[in-house]
């Protein structure tokens, strides 16, 4: 069985993330979306909220699951018996960053491969950060995220703006 992991913060999951997940679910028998705990990143949503958004967004993909990991992603992959780490590439900056990480991971564990999925053109400049910024000012993010995520963003920013 070909098992792959797709690590990230998914704060929140976007249609660009979903596109990578859906496409990779057609290539691999099992895809595990891994929310990697990163103490250097300040997340808008809790781990539990992000898990729920991913589950809601990916409910139609039976071979996709969600988990939480910490530490080095390549070590998580090894523990889970996953031979592939999925990474999405939007632009040149992503490629340079991901190439450095993939090279480091090869040194750490040559048995775990990194598989790059190119973003579709309509998602090539989409990021969770831009979605959060647009939503924080009441902008329409319906082209960028699932309806459930829109609800969660509104709840989060209505709470923040009412303080």
């Amino acid at each position: 069985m070909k098992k792959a992991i797709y690590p990230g913060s998914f704060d929140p999951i976007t249609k660009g993330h979903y596109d990578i997940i859906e496409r990779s679910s057609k290539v691999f028998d099992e895809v595990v979306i891994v929310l990697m705990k990163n103490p250097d990143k300040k997340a808008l949503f809790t781990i539990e909220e992000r898990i729920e958004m991913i589950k809601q967004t990916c409910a139609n993909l039976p071979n996709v699951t969600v988990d939480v990991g910490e530490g080095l992603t390549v070590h998580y992959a090894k523990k889970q018996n996953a031979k592939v780490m999925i990474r999405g590439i939007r632009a040149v900056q992503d490629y340079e960053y991901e190439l450095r990480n993939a090279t480091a991971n090869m040194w750490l564990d040559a048995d775990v491969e990194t598989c790059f999925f190119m973003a579709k053109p309509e998602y090539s400049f989409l990021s969770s950060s831009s979605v959060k910024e647009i939503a924080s000012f009441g902008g329409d993010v319906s082209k960028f995220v699932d309806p459930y995520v829109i609800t969660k963003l509104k709840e989060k920013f209505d709470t923040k703006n009412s303080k």
Side-chain angles (χ1 to χ4, degrees):
M1 180 191 266
K2 290 184 263 171
K3 181 178 186 179
I5 65 168
Y6 182 22
S9 55
F10 305 97
D11 186 41
I13 185 171
T14 68
K15 288 185 178 181
H17 292 130
Y18 176 80
D19 178 61
I20 300 289
I21 296 164
E22 181 183 43
R23 288 166 42 211
S24 64
S25 76
K26 294 174 183 172
V27 175
F28 300 100
D29 297 326
E30 181 182 355
V31 176
V32 181
I33 310 308
V34 186
L35 289 166
M36 294 302 293
K37 292 181 181 177
N38 184 344
D40 295 333
K41 279 192 173 182
K42 176 72 175 118
L44 175 65
F45 294 99
T46 66
I47 291 279
E48 294 76 18
E49 289 170 323
R50 287 182 272 160
I51 288 170
E52 189 56 32
M53 285 186 281
I54 293 167
K55 285 181 176 180
Q56 290 288 330
T57 302
C58 299
N60 65 319
L61 303 173
N63 62 332
V64 173
T65 57
V66 186
D67 195 15
V68 179
E70 57 187 317
L72 293 174
T73 310
V74 72
H75 291 166
Y76 174 90
K78 188 74 162 187
K79 285 180 196 168
Q80 295 298 314
N81 224 10
K83 298 292 184 192
V84 177
M85 288 193 296
I86 297 164
R87 301 302 298 156
I89 304 242
R90 295 170 294 190
V92 172
Q93 302 91 316
D94 281 352
Y95 176 74
E96 290 174 352
Y97 173 80
E98 295 298 345
L99 180 62
R100 279 194 308 270
N101 284 341
T103 303
N105 287 334
M106 289 172 83
W107 281 104
L108 293 168
D109 191 334
D111 292 333
V112 179
E113 293 290 340
T114 301
C115 180
F116 297 122
F117 279 76
M118 301 304 299
K120 287 185 178 174
E122 61 265 36
Y123 304 126
S124 62
F125 291 97
L126 176 59
S127 70
S128 295
S129 298
S130 58
V131 166
K132 289 184 285 195
E133 184 173 358
I134 294 166
S136 74
F137 290 103
D140 179 11
V141 292
S142 61
K143 291 181 176 139
F144 310 129
V145 296
D146 184 77
Y148 181 77
V149 176
I150 293 170
T151 302
K152 297 318 245 174
L153 283 163
K154 285 181 179 175
E155 287 173 9
K156 193 65 77 169
F157 287 117
D158 285 349
T159 303
K160 280 188 163 202
N161 294 333
S162 67
K163 290 183 181 178

